[in-house]
Amino acid sequence: MRINRLTYEPSIRIGIVGAGCTGLTAAEELHDLGYKNITIIDAKNRVGGKTYSIRYADASLQARGIYEGGTVWLLPSPLYKKYRKRYGISPSLHVMPRVQVFDLGTGKVSSPFLVESKYSLLGRLWQLRKFFQELDKYTLYSDPGYINPTYRGMNESSPQWFNKQGLDFIRDALMPIANAAQFGYLKQEASTAYVIRLLALLNRCNFLKKLFLNMPQLQEGNQELWNRLAATHHLCLGQTIERVSRGQTILVKTASNQWEFERLIWTAPVDDFLGVADASRAEADIFSRVRTIKRAVITCKVEGLPANIFYVIRNTLNQSLPTSYPLAIYEVDPGSKIYNFYPFMDETTTVEELESNVADCVKKLGGTQVTPMGQPLIWKWFSHFSAEDLKDGIYQRLEMLQGNQNTYFANEMTAGVSVPYGMEYAAYLVERFF
Ligand SMILES: Cc1cc2nc3c(=O)[nH]c(=O)nc-3n(C[C@H](O)[C@H](O)[C@H](O)COP(=O)(O)OP(=O)(O)OC[C@H]3O[C@@H](n4cnc5c(N)ncnc54)[C@H](O)[C@@H]3O)c2cc1C
């Protein structure tokens, strides 16, 4: 639904802050509509944002020689497919190992759907069917971000929600994966809206993919799509925004540059916006409520672990684990002996703790020697609101901000976490307002 097509002016100057998938999709869609003056600004010296493919050299391998420091799985989206075709990305994908659960207490490895449970196979299948049917309501491509008003009511914690729905087997099977992918130590408190939105991504996959969770990556590395797409746009990299002032036009300043725009699309985190912009009272009120956590990716060469694994860690030990214990681990290329580990971090977590938790995890998995390949990558993660804010209609208020002072916001906070969500929200924003 484009509501102000009458104001279509292809020559206006549009600034986009952030060259991750959301900012680049906004640029691409604007370009497709005929807009000619688009400038993309990013603080980093590369594009892709949280999609970050890193090359490693190992002459002995037939493998791709790439590991992912950010986005792991390519999740289905028609827009993603369209861009992959447009930019000549190989249609054959690098398929990751299927996800299995490693139980720290027993050392057993099993499919998430075969973990110990009081439910028979039939009972499990019944819950699976019921759950995926429920998810259908949240799988609509035309329903970007948290605009669907049902999310407002989904503010209770997810363990409560699963119990009420009679889906406790699904909780046991899928929550370790959801926690490893997004929630970490917030597992008890993250509102159901966030959990359902994450799991709704699974509903875009066919039945076998849902069951085995053997998701793909791009052969070229996930970042390559964004490198190719970005090369067709006007980019200003290595530019951290220092000031945004809005009047008749919008002035954006960095230490070495200044731009003037008629419209601004902000795809960087909103706390950064508050730090540099002449924020309105409504922007300040909403953005100061956003909560984030941190997550790390640690890449190590490890001896003695099985090849081609993707384990989600389940803790049935009698002791709780540190909040910064790895929740998932996989070999980045079959036979490479290079493994990625995924812990979360709280305010007190140090790099030494992260590394010692990885070493402990490797020991429990039967590995013998760990050599980190550089420093951990640390990401600002999971912009979200409290249950109370959700209930009070924060996302509805957020949508009302769109277009005020010719400024638009599209990022993980508005869209939800994942590349498809970022892209689809950006496309929706362009379709609706430009
Ligand atoms: C470890 C990890 C695993 C993930 N796994 C998956 C997965 O398997 N599948 C999936 O679909 N998604 C996954 N994601 C999530 C996905 O990567 C993100 O949701 C998505 O990339 C967000 O895109 P974005 O463009 O909204 O934000 P970002 O990618 O965060 O881009 C924002 C951009 O803004 C720039 N920026 C920030 N501040 C400023 C500033 N002040 N001035 C200028 N520029 C600024 C940043 O440099 C960045 O380039 C994963 C992410 C991580 C970190």
Side-chain angles (χ1 to χ4, degrees):
M1 175 187 48
R2 182 176 301 137
I3 56 172
N4 62 349
R5 198 75 174 87
L6 286 177
T7 62
Y8 178 61
E9 296 168 71
S11 57
I12 55 166
R13 293 163 296 177
I14 304 173
I16 298 177
V17 174
C21 63
T22 306
L24 292 173
T25 301
E28 188 78 357
E29 294 299 302
L30 284 165
H31 179 264
D32 284 358
L33 284 181
Y35 286 90
K36 294 177 180 63
N37 278 314
I38 305 163
T39 304
I40 308 167
I41 307 165
D42 200 291
K44 292 204 173 93
N45 281 314
R46 62 168 184 87
V47 303
K50 289 198 189 76
T51 300
Y52 183 28
S53 308
I54 303 163
R55 293 202 167 269
Y56 67 91
D58 192 336
S60 64
L61 281 171
Q62 299 301 308
R64 296 179 307 155
I66 296 169
Y67 64 86
E68 300 295 344
T71 310
V72 179
W73 287 337
L74 185 80
L75 295 162
S77 165
L79 203 50
Y80 219 157
K81 207 168 167 186
K82 177 171 102 179
Y83 290 177
R84 277 168 46 206
K85 196 159 172 215
R86 185 179 285 182
Y87 288 100
I89 296 288
S90 340
S92 71
L93 298 166
H94 167 73
V95 179
M96 305 278 292
R98 70 191 166 107
V99 171
Q100 292 181 288
V101 177
F102 181 88
D103 188 318
L104 280 180
T106 61
K108 275 194 195 149
V109 174
S110 73
S111 146
F113 301 109
L114 295 176
V115 289
E116 249 170 64
S117 160
K118 62 182 182 200
Y119 290 99
S120 66
L121 195 59
L122 218 60
R124 292 170 192 224
L125 284 172
W126 184 84
Q127 286 199 26
L128 264 175
R129 190 162 164 268
K130 181 172 172 205
F131 180 61
F132 285 121
Q133 272 175 355
E134 176 67 22
L135 280 191
D136 274 344
K137 294 184 206 156
Y138 309 97
T139 314
L140 306 173
Y141 293 99
S142 55
D143 221 4
Y146 293 92
I147 291 168
N148 185 335
T150 341
Y151 286 118
R152 185 171 177 173
M154 300 178 84
N155 48 69
E156 66 193 324
S157 80
S158 66
Q160 262 175 302
W161 184 86
F162 278 108
N163 286 350
K164 262 206 237 160
Q165 304 283 326
L167 292 171
D168 44 335
F169 166 66
I170 298 297
R171 183 200 57 212
D172 292 347
L174 290 181
M175 280 316 287
I177 301 168
N179 292 332
Q182 189 164 330
F183 305 109
Y185 57 88
L186 292 182
K187 56 188 170 198
Q188 296 296 333
E189 62 187 88
S191 292
T192 308
Y194 298 113
V195 173
I196 291 298
R197 192 147 169 77
L198 172 73
L199 293 176
L201 285 164
L202 284 183
N203 235 20
R204 297 174 171 214
C205 303
N206 64 32
F207 181 68
L208 283 180
K209 270 260 172 307
K210 273 186 213 158
L211 219 54
F212 292 114
L213 301 164
N214 54 341
M215 303 290 181
Q217 296 181 337
L218 298 186
Q219 281 293 355
E220 296 89 339
N222 293 336
Q223 195 187 328
E224 184 55 18
L225 171 64
W226 304 114
N227 294 342
R228 292 190 194 176
L229 187 152
T232 66
H233 290 273
H234 176 50
L235 286 172
C236 301
L237 297 180
Q239 301 284 324
T240 302
I241 312 295
E242 293 190 345
R243 190 80 203 130
V244 174
S245 329
R246 294 167 294 177
Q248 283 287 71
T249 55
I250 301 169
L251 288 181
V252 175
K253 286 187 192 165
T254 63
S256 56
N257 266 309
Q258 176 169 316
W259 298 266
E260 193 176 3
F261 301 118
E262 274 76 41
R263 309 267 189 107
L264 179 69
I265 302 179
W266 186 274
T267 74
V270 288
D271 44 354
D272 289 14
F273 182 81
L274 278 190
V276 298
D278 51 356
S280 67
R281 199 186 282 184
E283 285 167 344
D285 179 49
I286 295 174
F287 299 164
S288 60
R289 291 169 188 272
V290 174
R291 301 162 170 208
T292 54
I293 54 174
K294 281 194 281 183
R295 72 179 304 186
V297 181
I298 305 172
T299 307
C300 303
K301 188 114 191 170
V302 186
E303 296 296 331
L305 289 186
N308 212 18
I309 51 160
F310 196 133
Y311 288 166
V312 167
I313 305 294
R314 183 172 192 233
N315 181 22
T316 54
L317 296 170
N318 284 331
Q319 86 228 43
S320 62
L321 294 170
T323 47
S324 55
Y325 205 82
L327 297 184
I329 162 190
Y330 64 82
E331 193 181 27
V332 301
D333 264 331
S336 64
K337 298 191 179 178
I338 297 173
Y339 295 79
N340 265 4
F341 295 82
Y342 293 87
F344 287 76
M345 302 169 74
D346 62 21
E347 311 77 56
T348 64
T349 309
T350 60
V351 169
E352 291 70 37
E353 264 167 1
L354 288 175
E355 289 179 348
S356 109
N357 289 334
V358 165
D360 184 77
C361 179
V362 166
K363 205 167 136 204
K364 290 198 166 73
L365 290 163
T368 49
Q369 200 189 324
V370 192
T371 317
M373 292 175 62
Q375 286 291 306
L377 282 169
I378 296 173
W379 300 103
K380 188 193 271 187
W381 183 246
F382 182 31
S383 296
H384 64 284
F385 294 103
S386 69
E388 292 70 38
D389 286 337
L390 211 64
K391 196 162 150 194
D392 288 348
I394 194 105
Y395 283 106
Q396 284 69 32
R397 289 176 58 207
L398 188 52
E399 284 307 311
M400 283 165 65
L401 284 186
Q402 299 291 18
N404 287 353
Q405 299 186 79
N406 291 321
T407 311
Y408 304 84
F409 299 93
N411 43 36
E412 285 180 343
M413 178 199 63
T414 59
V417 173
S418 83
V419 170
Y421 285 160
M423 294 172 75
E424 287 158 18
Y425 191 91
Y428 148 81
L429 197 81
V430 168
E431 167 72 13
R432 179 162 178 216
F433 293 103
F434 287 82

